[in-house]
């Protein structure tokens, strides 16, 4: 199977589905709830494992009792967890998420990775079988170290650029593939493609929810339609997109214009499916097993 390493944030997500958001000082009863491991790199790793790849997640969880839920979820998914904070007694980052049943929109409160500093190990656990590496930038020192080592080994590198972070300028020269969200805003007046291409990024795309992806061709952006669905919950859809794309790139590397477009189509289809159910795991249910992508090996 194709092996992928993902490095970044891991949270404990507590999700509540409500008919409407509560007003100030108001209590509402959730229609349903779920608890799962979350965070961009974590949801991407879960996606890789579900689609038939081998996913290793490099992150910080710790040994607080709340970490047991994270360990159980990832073990059930088949994600190999390497915890760089295994002896830390502090709690993991917890995301409190309220999803509107009417729109599929959500409100999120979380500390993300700000509550814990992650120091990369002297020897990074990147095996010779790893075919692609993805980072989300939430643990900056770890992201730089992982990308640097992957680049040294000639492993393709991907960045989940959901938003601009202070570490972003240090990451861009180290990545081959960047997919930005529409919320990615460089701090100065420069186009996204000009910025990324100026740092040597060859494969660039912009995700825009239900709107067509924008794929950079080298001469400009071209629109790439995404599948339509009845949206129940958009939480984690971007993470799913990045996980599916990382696996697709690993199986197609080195890329061409045509295979990059194929990889984006493949990833967009998976992300769209994830929006048709509540939470970040229901789309992986047994009824969806026919959606697992076969490992065709290197291309």
């Amino acid at each position: 199977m194709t092996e992928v390493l993902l490095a970044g944030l891991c949270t404990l997500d507590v999700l509540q589905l409500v008919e409407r958001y509560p007003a100030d000082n108001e209590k509402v009863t959730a229609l349903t709830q779920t608890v799962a491991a979350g965070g961009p790199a974590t949801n991407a790793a879960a996606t890789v494992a579900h689609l038939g790849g081998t996913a290793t997640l490099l992150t910080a969880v710790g040994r607080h009792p709340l970490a047991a839920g994270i360990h159980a979820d990832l073990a059930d998914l088949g994600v190999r967890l390497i915890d760089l904070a295994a002896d830390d007694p502090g709690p993991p980052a917890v995301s409190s998420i309220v999803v509107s049943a009417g729109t599929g929109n959500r409100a999120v409160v979380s500390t993300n990775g700000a509550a814990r500093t992650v120091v990369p190990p002297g020897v990074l656990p990147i095996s010779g079988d790893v075919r692609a590496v993805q980072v989300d930038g939430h643990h900056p020192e770890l992201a730089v170290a992982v990308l640097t080592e992957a680049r040294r080994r000639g492993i393709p590198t991907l960045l989940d650029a959901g938003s601009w972070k202070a570490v972003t300028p240090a990451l861009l020269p180290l990545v081959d593939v960047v997919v930005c969200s529409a919320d990615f805003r460089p701090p100065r007046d420069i186009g996204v493609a000009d910025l990324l291409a100026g740092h040597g990024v060859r494969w660039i795309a912009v995700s825009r929810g239900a709107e067509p992806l924008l794929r950079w061709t080298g001469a400009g952006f071209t629109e790439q339609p995404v599948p339509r669905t009845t949206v129940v919950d958009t939480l984690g859809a971007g993470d799913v997109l990045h996980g599916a794309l990382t696996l697709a790139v690993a199986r197609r590397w080195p890329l061409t214009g045509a295979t990059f477009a194929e990889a984006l189509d493949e990833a967009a289809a998976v992300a769209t499916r994830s929006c048709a159910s509540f939470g970040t795991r229901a789309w992986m249910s047994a009824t969806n097993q026919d959606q697992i992508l076969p490992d065709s090996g290197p291309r």
Side-chain angles (χ1 to χ4, degrees):
M1 291 193 294
T2 305
E3 184 171 343
V4 172
L5 176 74
L6 305 103
L9 181 65
C10 186
T11 65
L12 183 67
D13 288 357
V14 181
L15 295 83
Q16 309 276 357
L17 182 68
V18 298
E19 289 185 350
R20 61 176 179 81
Y21 292 143
D24 290 347
N25 300 313
E26 180 186 14
K27 294 181 180 180
V28 298
T29 300
L31 301 173
T32 187
Q33 69 175 15
T34 185
V35 178
T42 300
N43 286 328
T47 300
V48 169
H50 176 68
L51 296 178
T54 299
T56 297
L57 176 64
L58 190 58
T59 187
V61 177
R63 58 181 177 83
H64 188 277
L66 286 176
I70 292 174
H71 282 273
D73 185 38
L74 295 179
D76 185 59
L77 293 165
V79 174
R80 178 190 177 215
L81 172 64
I82 299 178
D83 185 5
L84 298 180
D87 294 328
D88 189 333
V94 176
S95 291
S96 301
I97 304 157
V98 180
V99 179
S100 169
T103 65
N105 293 329
R106 77 276 190 188
V108 182
V109 179
S110 177
T111 59
N112 287 329
R116 179 175 274 142
T117 299
V118 178
V119 178
V123 178
L124 289 165
I126 303 178
S127 78
D129 294 326
V130 170
R131 293 292 174 262
V133 165
Q134 181 205 301
V135 304
D136 62 20
H138 276 282
H139 295 304
E141 292 183 16
L142 177 62
V144 171
V146 167
L147 292 179
T148 300
E149 178 62 13
R151 178 59 60 89
R152 185 185 72 81
R153 293 174 177 233
I155 301 170
T157 53
L158 297 90
L159 172 64
D160 174 349
S163 62
W164 182 269
K165 299 177 177 63
V167 72
T168 301
L171 302 181
L172 294 183
L174 300 171
V175 290
D176 299 301
V177 182
V178 176
V179 176
C180 309
S181 76
D183 295 326
F184 184 80
R185 298 279 191 276
R188 54 195 180 94
D189 187 19
I190 183 172
V192 168
D194 290 338
L195 172 70
L196 300 183
H199 281 86
V201 180
R202 171 63 184 89
W203 307 105
I204 302 166
V206 179
S207 63
R208 304 183 298 165
E211 297 300 312
L213 289 161
L214 298 178
R215 175 172 50 85
W216 180 248
T217 65
F221 279 113
T222 185
E223 289 192 348
Q224 193 156 325
V226 299
R228 313 297 294 182
T229 192
T230 300
V231 174
V232 173
D233 182 7
T234 59
L235 181 70
D239 308 339
V240 171
L241 175 76
H242 287 279
L245 179 65
T246 299
L247 183 59
V249 167
R251 291 173 172 172
R252 289 171 169 82
W253 193 261
L255 294 174
T256 65
T259 57
F260 183 45
E262 288 175 1
L264 287 171
D265 277 341
E266 195 171 283
V270 178
T272 296
R273 290 199 297 271
S274 75
C275 294
S277 55
F278 172 61
T280 55
R281 301 289 183 263
W283 69 277
M284 300 177 179
S285 66
T287 57
N288 293 319
Q289 288 307 303
D290 61 323
Q291 297 165 355
I292 295 178
L293 303 176
D295 187 350
S296 57
R299 302 187 183 186

